[in-house]
Amino acid sequence: MDNSFNNFSLPEEDSIDIKQEIIRYIRYWPWFAVTLAVTLISAYMYLRYAPRVYQTYSKIKILDESEGLELPTSAFIFKRKNINLENEIEILTSYLIMNRVVRELNLNTNFYEEGTIQTSQIESLPFGFKQIIHPDSIRERLSYKLKIKDTGMDITNLKTEKVFSFSGSTTRDSDYNLPFEIDLNVNKTKSDFVGNTYILNFNTIKSTALSLKSNIKVESIGELSDLLKLTIKGESKELSEKILNTLMEVFDKDGIYDRQLISKRTLDFIDDRFVFLAQELDSIEVGRQDFKQRNNIVDIAVDAGLGLEQRAQSDEQVFQIEQQLALSKLLDTSLNTNSESDLLPANIGIENSSINQLISDYNNAVIDRNKYLSSGGANNPMVKQAVEQVENLKANINRSIGTYSKQLENSRQQFSLRNRRFSGTVAQIPEKEKLLRAIDRQQKIKESLYLLLLQKREEAAINLAITEPSIKVVEYALSGSNPVSPKSNIVYAAAILGGLLIPFGILYLIFMLDTKLHSKEDVTKINSNIPVIGEIPDVKKKEHIIFDDPNARTALAESFRILSSNVDYILPIKDDGKGKVIYCTSTIKGEGKTYVSVNLSLALSSINKKVLLIGADLRNPQIHTHIHEEKHKPGLSNYLHDTNYDWRDALINGFDKHPNHQIILSGVIPPNPAHLLTNGRFKKLIEEAKEEYDYIIVDTAPTILVTDTMLISQLADATIYLARANYTEKNLLKFSKDLTETGKLKNVAYVINSVGASRSYGYSYNYGYNYGYGTKD
């Protein structure tokens, strides 16, 4: 009935047993419980002492100034019909704006109150504080610790660790060169602060502005909305609200200033022109008076006839052309004498819509370029593009003015030719009258130009006075009542997750890196064709020999009784009545082959079978340690070496309660075990022993170390191959598989020793069946 026991160890499917994997980890539930407790306690301590961070927000609406209160003239309105929120966000969070906010609130000076465990930021010190050092003088971070005592106060420079001690309540009268002054008696008395410790930090303007820039978040509310939401997070709600409110105020003033810039520039231009026009009018008046006095002119008769009327019309047209030429010359002078950052006066009376439009575009481009220069620098691509746009517009204005002046000059020449034709009809008018008219015409041009500029000046002054805000504050800064960090639910969830994942990860790594054999399933996965006929449990404080008493009913004794019963299933059926030979071997030493050999032989003898145990491991014998005999007591090696030695002389009755059990020890360790085992005497011993015993149990040498076992393997009826849980490497089982497939070992079956030694794998086998051992039925 060879290999009939295969039915007892069918290979399982190559899949993961979820239940077994869960049990595998649940075995370590104390690890999970301890880690979970530690993470939850850590989370509680963190939430107890971590600084509370609050979120503060405000909302603003970007106004379209084209719908504002300013006068509807294209010259003095800073139009923004299409609001670009992305540009507004960039300006709102620019370094220039942040720099102004930092300076206005003195944000580069921070205060902290130091507690027993937690140090929290405060808006200001609760007593008198005066900063002496100018913010621009701070070149590096300065940090001081202020500790208030009964006898005075100590100020420590945290960088140099130098301590300044003061006996009073103020630092004003000290000679120490500190960047601030402290007066504890302002607002409260010194006794209110005794024992308190404060931290004073002084940072540079640049680092503070950059930090504020990264801390403030601005985003639009919806795609079609022109509302912006400003958000900041900080420990002090009061300080955060101040920052947002100041930021909105600074941004509003910046926009108002930009729009007022054109009006201011127009006023300055008109005021400059008034000086020159007044001088020219005075010169014309004096010249006209002198001309009349020299020529005794009191009044000019009215020209008669059609010729005089035509000439008057022509003169009027010439007057209008010369007025336009004068305005063009003034504009050209202003354009070419201004620096590149100056703005041009718009709509001063030139009757050319193209030039007026170019002037408006030029002024807007100059303002945009100045904004980009202030926030980006000269090498910024947007700045370069804006500068190029200004230069292009300036060139276009020059060309347009030149072209317009040429057209006016041509028209004037045509009308002059026309006047000369009319002069024949008015020849009777004296030359003096013509000169007088020329003087009057110049006077009228200057007067009309003066009045026009006076009107434009009033318009610019009105626009400057009624400039409306850039933004509408929808909501001033508001802070949430609950902190946004730390969030207890998230922290506790992370603690629970970490408490579960940390031990799980450690166990997963341990299991993944573990290459040891642990159970029957590990054996069947590697070699499913060889049956597993026994699993010997690992029992704490176990005796090496458990069959001193054949009636023992311990779990270990029952496991060997089960093994002795299962061995019969793999032994071939014989009708000759001879004994059966069972080898016990393993891959390496330490897997328990001697231990199993001894106990298997005792288990078989306990059922009234004659059993012979032979110690065939001639290199490292171990049976003598179980029966307390001398290692070099004559035995198998003596028989194999000496042809005159009878193996029966080496028989030992090692166990008094097992009269059917006899042992042949290995004997003296020989120098050539392989030669002795193959000289034919071992085969003779087996054949003779089979005539006298029911079972011959042979404890052989490990297979991977020496070839002794393979040399005598064909004499066995069955080979029990030992593997030890939590000791034998899984890769070593492949060696036993190769021995079986090549026929070097005969009728092999596995026995797993020390099962349950590693509780992490859930293989704690229990052989106590609650059958009432030790009790009477």
Side-chain angles (χ1 to χ4, degrees), residues 710-722:
M710 273 76 79
L711 295 175
I712 59 175
S713 63
Q714 299 304 317
L715 301 176
D717 294 315
T719 302
I720 295 177
Y721 205 99
L722 265 294

Side-chain angles (χ1 to χ4, degrees), residues 485-731:
S485 175
K487 293 184 177 180
S488 58
N489 53 348
I490 295 178
V491 172
Y492 280 123
I496 294 173
L497 185 62
L500 297 176
L501 289 182
I502 291 174
F504 177 81
I506 294 174
L507 291 174
Y508 177 79
L509 289 176
I510 292 175
F511 296 154
M512 183 178 65
L513 298 176
D514 184 16
T515 59
K516 303 293 184 180
L517 169 71
H518 296 283
S519 70
K520 171 183 175 181
E521 285 74 13
D522 295 334
V523 176
T524 56
K525 286 180 181 179
I526 297 174
N527 192 355
S528 59
N529 296 324
I530 300 177
V532 179
I533 62 171
E535 295 177 274
I536 309 302
D538 179 74
V539 180
K540 294 182 180 180
K541 298 181 181 180
K542 67 177 183 293
E543 297 288 342
H544 285 292
I545 303 303
I546 49 83
F547 276 112
D548 284 342
D549 181 5
N551 297 319
R553 296 186 177 182
T554 63
L556 197 60
E558 289 302 319
S559 68
F560 278 106
R561 288 192 179 96
I562 294 173
L563 175 61
S564 65
S565 176
N566 290 340
V567 167
D568 285 334
Y569 284 94
I570 64 171
L571 290 171
I573 297 175
K574 295 183 179 180
D575 298 330
D576 53 8
K578 294 182 179 181
K580 300 173 183 178
V581 181
I582 303 172
Y583 281 8
C584 286
T585 187
S586 64
T587 307
I588 58 175
K589 62 181 292 186
E591 294 179 301
K593 60 181 182 57
T594 301
Y595 169 68
V596 173
S597 300
V598 172
N599 288 283
L600 176 60
S601 64
L602 291 173
L604 291 171
S605 70
S606 67
I607 56 176
N608 296 324
K609 299 292 183 180
K610 292 189 67 176
V611 180
L612 175 62
L613 174 63
I614 301 176
D617 188 355
L618 302 181
R619 302 174 188 268
N620 185 26
Q622 294 294 326
I623 295 179
H624 65 279
T625 61
H626 298 282
I627 59 175
H628 308 292
E629 289 286 350
E630 292 293 332
K631 182 177 182 180
H632 299 293
K633 185 179 180 66
L636 179 62
S637 62
N638 302 87
Y639 167 75
L640 296 177
H641 175 70
D642 188 357
T643 56
N644 296 321
Y645 188 82
D646 189 357
W647 60 272
R648 294 174 182 83
D649 295 335
L651 293 175
I652 298 174
N653 291 321
F655 304 96
D656 296 336
K657 296 182 180 181
H658 293 267
N660 296 326
H661 185 278
Q662 291 183 310
I663 302 173
I664 297 178
L665 296 178
S666 299
V668 179
I669 298 177
N672 54 348
H675 176 73
L676 293 178
L677 290 172
T678 57
N679 63 7
R681 289 183 61 78
F682 183 77
K683 181 177 180 182
K684 178 181 177 182
L685 169 61
I686 295 298
E687 293 297 333
E688 292 177 357
K690 289 167 66 175
E691 299 291 339
E692 300 181 18
Y693 295 93
D694 297 317
Y695 294 96
I696 297 95
I697 309 299
V698 182
D699 178 24
T700 65
T703 57
I704 201 171
L705 301 177
V706 293
T707 61
D708 297 358
T709 302
M710 273 76 79
L711 295 175
I712 59 175
S713 63
Q714 299 304 317
L715 301 176
D717 294 315
T719 302
I720 295 177
Y721 205 99
L722 265 294
R724 185 175 178 180
N726 206 35
Y727 181 84
T728 304
E729 295 284 343
K730 293 179 182 179
N731 289 334

Side-chain angles (χ1 to χ4, degrees), residues 261 340-343 365-375 386:
L261 196 59
E340 63 177 6
S341 63
D342 288 338
L343 300 170
V366 169
I367 290 175
D368 291 338
R369 181 203 59 197
N370 292 340
K371 282 186 178 180
Y372 295 144
L373 275 172
S374 63
S375 60

Side-chain angles (χ1 to χ4, degrees), residues 146-147 149-156 163-178 180 182 184 190:
L146 171 62
K147 187 173 183 180
K149 303 185 297 185
D150 291 331
T151 58
M153 54 184 168
D154 291 340
I155 299 177
T156 305
V163 180
F164 306 92
S165 297
F166 300 88
S167 58
S169 301
T170 180
T171 62
R172 292 178 181 175
D173 301 328
S174 66
D175 296 331
Y176 298 127
N177 187 20
L178 292 173
F180 55 87
I182 298 293
L184 299 178
K190 175 185 173 182

